[in-house]
Amino acid sequence: MLQSMTGFGRTEQAVGDKVFLVEVKSLNGKQFDLRINIPALLKPFEFDIRNILQEKLMRGSVECIIYIKQNGAAQPVTINKELAKAYYQPIAELSQELNLNPGDVLSALLKLPEVITPSNIVLSDEDWKGFEVVLQSAIEQLKEHRVNEGKSLEEELLLRIENITIHSEKIAGLEPLRKQKIKDGLVKTLEDNVGKENYDSNRLEQELIYYIEKIDITEEQVRLRNHCNYFKSILNDSDESKGKKLSFILQEIGREINTTGSKAYDSEIQKSVVLMKDELEKAKEQVLNVL
């Protein structure tokens, strides 16, 4: 099943005397790019959290925000004075500009992130295992969202590839007539300019065979259809991450379409080439969102 890189997951759950809230969202990206915001209590486990996210989500621009709420007995706290001082100056200036009561500045400072933090609290192994369950739950929700988005992507990509195949089949039907038209046109031009009796017909036939072989598009069309079939087989592959592979195949499809257009010398075939290019561009836009 195809997966999108777009998704969102959110889980809130009590673990001991704490309530963990994890929010994870992802957008499309060429590689795995993670932005993470975690409380001080989880800082020692940041490397583990990053590894879990990368292993499970693989690709995309990912943002993870984690909150902890204490729901048990009161805990000793410390005030980060240096951080509070850094916050104070811009807040005081803003308060003065807005003619606000300066007495409210302290209460505002104490509510800012990391100004008041739990003192000497270390997350136990049991709490870490409980948090892992919460993190995994949020990730699974995001992956479920990715699968649902992937269904629409797969339908769209199959439609584009099917349309390219239809145009390729149309070109295959036009190919014999195209060769005859080219041959007749060259003979007529030669007769009009040289005269029917003034050239060697056997030599002309040899030259025509050589020329028509040079502009033959049969191999390009065979490769194009093979690429389209390979693309569809990759969609059915069990591998979760296949966006890069699909993108590479689309590049090969584009190469065969371009070569067909450059060798066609036929207005009807050129029309089909233009339509195939349009379908290909739509497919490229969609595949950027595939995991």
Side-chain angles (χ1 to χ4, degrees):
M1 178 62 69
L2 205 64
Q3 291 189 36
S4 167
M5 275 189 279
T6 302
F8 177 78
R10 183 182 189 275
T11 299
E12 183 174 357
Q13 185 176 318
V15 177
D17 63 345
K18 303 172 186 65
V19 176
F20 291 102
L21 172 59
V22 179
E23 292 183 352
V24 189
K25 63 180 178 180
S26 69
L27 299 171
N28 63 314
K30 291 184 177 180
Q31 305 296 332
F32 180 79
D33 179 27
L34 174 64
R35 290 178 295 164
I36 188 169
N37 187 350
I38 61 176
L41 191 62
L42 283 169
K43 286 292 184 182
F45 301 94
E46 181 175 350
F47 184 74
D48 298 294
I49 294 171
R50 287 180 175 271
N51 281 344
I52 291 171
L53 288 165
Q54 183 167 11
E55 179 184 352
K56 296 293 183 179
L57 300 180
M58 292 180 283
R59 284 184 70 204
S61 179
V62 179
E63 182 178 7
C64 178
I65 303 175
I66 302 169
Y67 305 94
I68 299 180
K69 306 173 187 176
Q70 296 287 152
N71 63 353
Q75 301 287 342
V77 298
T78 58
I79 297 178
N80 189 331
K81 295 180 181 179
E82 294 303 318
L83 182 60
K85 290 176 182 178
Y87 280 138
Y88 172 77
Q89 188 61 37
I91 292 176
E93 292 175 359
L94 180 61
S95 176
Q96 186 175 7
E97 290 177 11
L98 299 177
N99 295 319
L100 299 177
N101 184 358
D104 296 333
V105 173
L106 180 59
S107 62
L109 280 174
L110 297 178
K111 295 176 183 176
L112 292 172
E114 307 295 331
V115 173
I116 297 180
T117 57
S119 178
N120 300 322
I121 296 178
V122 177
L123 198 68
S124 66
D125 291 340
E126 184 178 351
D127 284 350
W128 163 248
K129 290 178 181 178
F131 168 75
E132 273 193 289
V133 173
V134 180
L135 178 62
Q136 294 284 7
S137 175
I139 291 172
E140 288 305 315
Q141 286 185 28
L142 185 148
K143 292 180 70 174
E144 184 177 346
H145 193 174
R146 281 182 163 187
V147 169
N148 292 333
E149 291 282 329
K151 291 177 183 177
S152 299
L153 283 175
E154 185 169 353
E155 290 176 1
E156 179 70 13
L157 287 170
L158 279 172
L159 174 64
R160 301 307 163 196
I161 294 301
E162 188 61 33
N163 287 342
I164 289 173
T165 303
I166 290 171
H167 291 304
S168 177
E169 291 171 352
K170 183 178 179 181
I171 288 173
L174 293 170
E175 175 65 356
L177 181 61
R178 177 188 78 110
K179 289 181 178 178
Q180 189 61 45
K181 284 167 61 178
I182 291 173
K183 180 178 179 180
D184 292 345
L186 289 172
V187 170
K188 185 176 185 306
T189 301
L190 191 60
E191 290 178 351
D192 290 344
N193 289 276
V194 178
K196 189 174 182 179
E197 307 299 329
N198 296 328
Y199 64 85
D200 186 340
S201 59
N202 291 327
R203 177 64 184 275
L204 173 62
E205 193 69 25
Q206 292 175 357
E207 293 296 333
L208 283 173
I209 291 172
Y210 174 77
Y211 177 72
I212 289 175
E213 283 180 351
K214 292 287 288 184
I215 61 171
D216 183 70
I217 57 175
T218 303
E219 289 186 10
E220 285 77 8
Q221 288 304 294
V222 170
R223 287 196 296 266
L224 175 59
R225 287 190 289 272
N226 288 339
H227 292 327
C228 288
N229 290 333
Y230 184 42
F231 188 94
K232 288 187 282 188
S233 72
I234 295 298
L235 289 179
N236 294 323
D237 193 79
S238 59
D239 187 13
E240 286 188 1
S241 180
K242 39 197 168 188
K244 289 183 179 180
K245 195 178 293 184
L246 293 174
S247 181
F248 293 148
I249 299 172
L250 288 180
Q251 290 179 24
E252 294 302 314
I253 289 174
R255 185 173 289 111
E256 303 305 335
I257 292 173
N258 288 334
T259 306
T260 297
S262 66
K263 295 168 70 174
Y265 298 103
D266 183 90
S267 60
E268 290 302 316
I269 291 179
Q270 290 288 4
K271 288 178 184 178
S272 291
V273 166
V274 170
L275 292 172
M276 285 195 292
K277 287 183 177 181
D278 182 52
E279 297 293 337
L280 178 64
E281 288 305 311
K282 291 175 181 176
K284 285 181 176 180
E285 290 177 10
Q286 296 299 325
V287 88
L288 290 174
N289 295 315
V290 176
L291 179 63

